[in-house]
Amino acid sequence: MSEEAFNATAWCLEDATAGYEVQSVENGLCSAFAYTDVTNAGLDVFYLLFAAAMVFFMQAGFAMLCAGSVRQKNVKNIMLKNILDACGGALGFWSIGFAFAYGGATADKKGFIGSSGFFLADFTSGGDLIGWFFQFAFAATAATIVAGTVAERCKFEAYLCYSLMLTGFVYPVIVYSIWSSSGFLTAFNNDPVFGSGMHDFAGSGVVHMTGGITALIAAKVLGPRIGRFHDADGNLLPEPHSFPPHSVALQVLGTFILWFGWYGFNPGSTLGISGEGVPDVAALCAVTTTIAAASGSVSAMFTDMLLSRRSTGETMYDITMCMNGALSGLVGITAGCSVVEPWAAFVIGIVAGWTYIFWSALLVKLKIDDAVDAIPVHFGNGIWGCIAVGLFAEPTR
């Protein structure tokens, strides 16, 4: 390349970086860097594709966490149920779920459920299609929360029906209420409730609380595993029996995969990256997500250590508390990750760890058997995450 062409190319790249429309230089090199509406749309589609793929990869995290937490004889069964969550979730959300969640919503009315877009009818643009894929990944996440709770005692057929029902109807009704522009709790309506509506940026309530309360109901209906609180004859045990996990390595792997997936879950909920100020929001989400997870893990583990030392006189560090504390912090920050400062994320994570310990102990006291403690993590901290928005949100964000 000549010196003149090289300089022209350098100027072109400088202009493109600044966001200006530029002319092609040297075989169209710079035309690829011109910021146009088409380019921005393509960038947003790719961003959502990448974020949704990360969220969908959380299915592998849930699978590994569940596999490591149950007894070895039940691993194959729980793996099948995790695959069915993805399959049932895709079919349910494609056929009716997405239509119920967003169909026909407008900001000048309020309703209970969507009524158009069944089977993705008339969905042809990249923006519409990638929007469905991103929302499907969220729906599948809500469904798979229950898999661990009901592990080792739920029939295959019943679980498949549950997965279809949750992604096809239950979850979409919640989504319509909070995330569509016609929901009675949404902040996107022209007449939002209490003048502001509910702020749940990435789904502490919509996704995690929904999955958590579903898990609570399922655990109560199914009852505990034999040997957890009662022996084979139905006699109450003096102390609840814990079933040790068969693979701590799989548990830790699943935890890290989920943590990784959360960077698609929270920053990806900007639903794009090209708009003015949107990159700043996505970056803030990544920071607050990280801090809340870390502080939740430390909070749960060290608080449990202090409680154990007080009751037994021994100092023990429980890796389960460390893992579930991190997940609790992630759930707790999900609603407000875009509107709180990093210091607030630290506080939210600390309280999330305590919330997990409280709910975990409460379930044992109520003799509700949760094989992976999904209820304390997702339901308990889903509640806390929604409350934390009101306590820590910055009005300027």
Side-chain angles (χ1 to χ4, degrees):
M1 181 185 295
S2 66
E3 181 178 353
E4 181 180 357
F6 178 85
N7 291 334
T9 301
W11 295 331
C12 179
L13 291 175
E14 182 179 353
D15 287 343
T17 303
Y20 300 122
E21 195 89 40
V22 295
Q23 300 297 322
S24 298
V25 174
E26 198 77 7
N27 298 322
L29 173 66
C30 274
S31 62
F33 292 87
Y35 285 85
T36 65
D37 290 340
V38 174
T39 305
N40 287 340
L43 182 63
D44 288 339
V45 168
F46 178 77
Y47 180 75
L48 272 186
L49 174 61
F50 184 73
M54 291 179 68
V55 176
F56 186 71
F57 189 55
M58 292 173 73
Q59 296 290 320
F62 281 114
M64 294 301 97
L65 183 60
C66 291
S69 300
V70 301
R71 289 168 286 184
Q72 189 169 7
K73 65 178 182 178
N74 293 307
V75 170
K76 185 177 180 180
N77 178 270
I78 197 67
M79 291 296 94
L80 178 60
K81 288 174 182 173
N82 274 272
I83 294 175
L84 287 177
D85 270 325
C87 298
L91 296 177
F93 206 64
W94 161 69
S95 56
I96 60 175
F98 188 79
F100 285 159
Y102 292 102
T106 59
D108 57 0
K109 71 171 185 178
K110 291 186 179 181
F112 171 71
I113 200 169
S115 58
S116 62
F118 296 98
F119 297 94
L120 299 185
D122 300 324
F123 277 55
T124 56
S125 72
D128 290 339
L129 293 172
I130 200 63
W132 175 87
F133 179 56
F134 185 75
Q135 297 299 334
F136 146 70
F138 274 55
T141 299
T144 202
I145 289 171
V146 182
T149 295
V150 301
E152 304 186 322
R153 62 195 190 278
C154 183
K155 289 184 177 180
F156 167 81
E157 297 86 353
Y159 192 82
L160 180 59
C161 291
Y162 142 78
S163 184
L164 289 168
M165 183 65 180
L166 185 77
T167 57
F169 180 75
V170 176
Y171 173 76
V173 170
I174 306 299
V175 170
Y176 190 87
S177 299
I178 300 173
W179 281 347
S180 84
S181 57
S182 294
F184 75 98
L185 291 175
T186 186
F188 309 118
N189 194 269
N190 291 335
D191 182 26
V193 63
F194 301 125
S196 62
M198 179 179 178
H199 180 92
D200 186 358
F201 184 73
S204 286
V206 175
V207 179
H208 298 283
M209 195 170 153
T210 300
I213 197 170
T214 305
L216 176 61
I217 295 170
K220 187 63 178 177
V221 170
L222 288 172
R225 293 167 289 179
I226 297 175
R228 177 70 168 117
F229 301 113
H230 303 82
D231 60 23
D233 297 324
N235 300 314
L236 184 65
L237 297 173
E239 292 290 336
H241 175 68
S242 297
F243 299 103
H246 96 274
S247 176
V248 175
L250 288 179
Q251 287 182 302
V252 174
L253 175 62
T255 301
F256 272 118
I257 291 175
L258 289 172
W259 191 338
F260 172 78
W262 238 283
Y263 293 119
F265 210 97
N266 288 359
S269 290
T270 58
L271 304 181
I273 199 64
S274 66
E276 183 179 357
V278 175
D280 297 335
V281 176
L284 176 65
C285 290
V287 171
T288 54
T289 298
T290 303
I291 294 173
S295 59
S297 178
V298 171
S299 169
M301 185 180 70
F302 281 98
T303 301
D304 178 72
M305 180 271 292
L306 293 173
L307 293 174
S308 298
R309 178 190 291 178
R310 182 177 180 182
S311 60
T312 65
E314 298 180 1
T315 300
M316 295 181 295
Y317 297 97
D318 190 346
I319 192 170
T320 300
M321 287 288 168
C322 183
M323 294 184 298
N324 285 337
L327 297 178
S328 296
L330 290 165
V331 172
I333 196 62
T334 297
C337 59
S338 64
V339 293
V340 301
E341 298 291 342
W343 69 263
F346 173 77
V347 176
I348 291 171
I350 293 291
V351 177
W354 296 338
T355 302
Y356 165 70
I357 293 174
F358 169 78
W359 277 90
S360 183
L362 180 62
L363 289 185
V364 173
K365 188 175 182 63
L366 297 176
K367 295 181 174 53
I368 297 175
D369 184 15
D370 186 346
V372 298
D373 264 354
I375 297 169
V377 170
H378 297 279
F379 179 56
N381 278 290
I383 296 173
W384 163 237
C386 294
I387 294 173
V389 174
L391 297 177
F392 296 105
E394 287 289 331
T396 57
R397 292 194 179 275

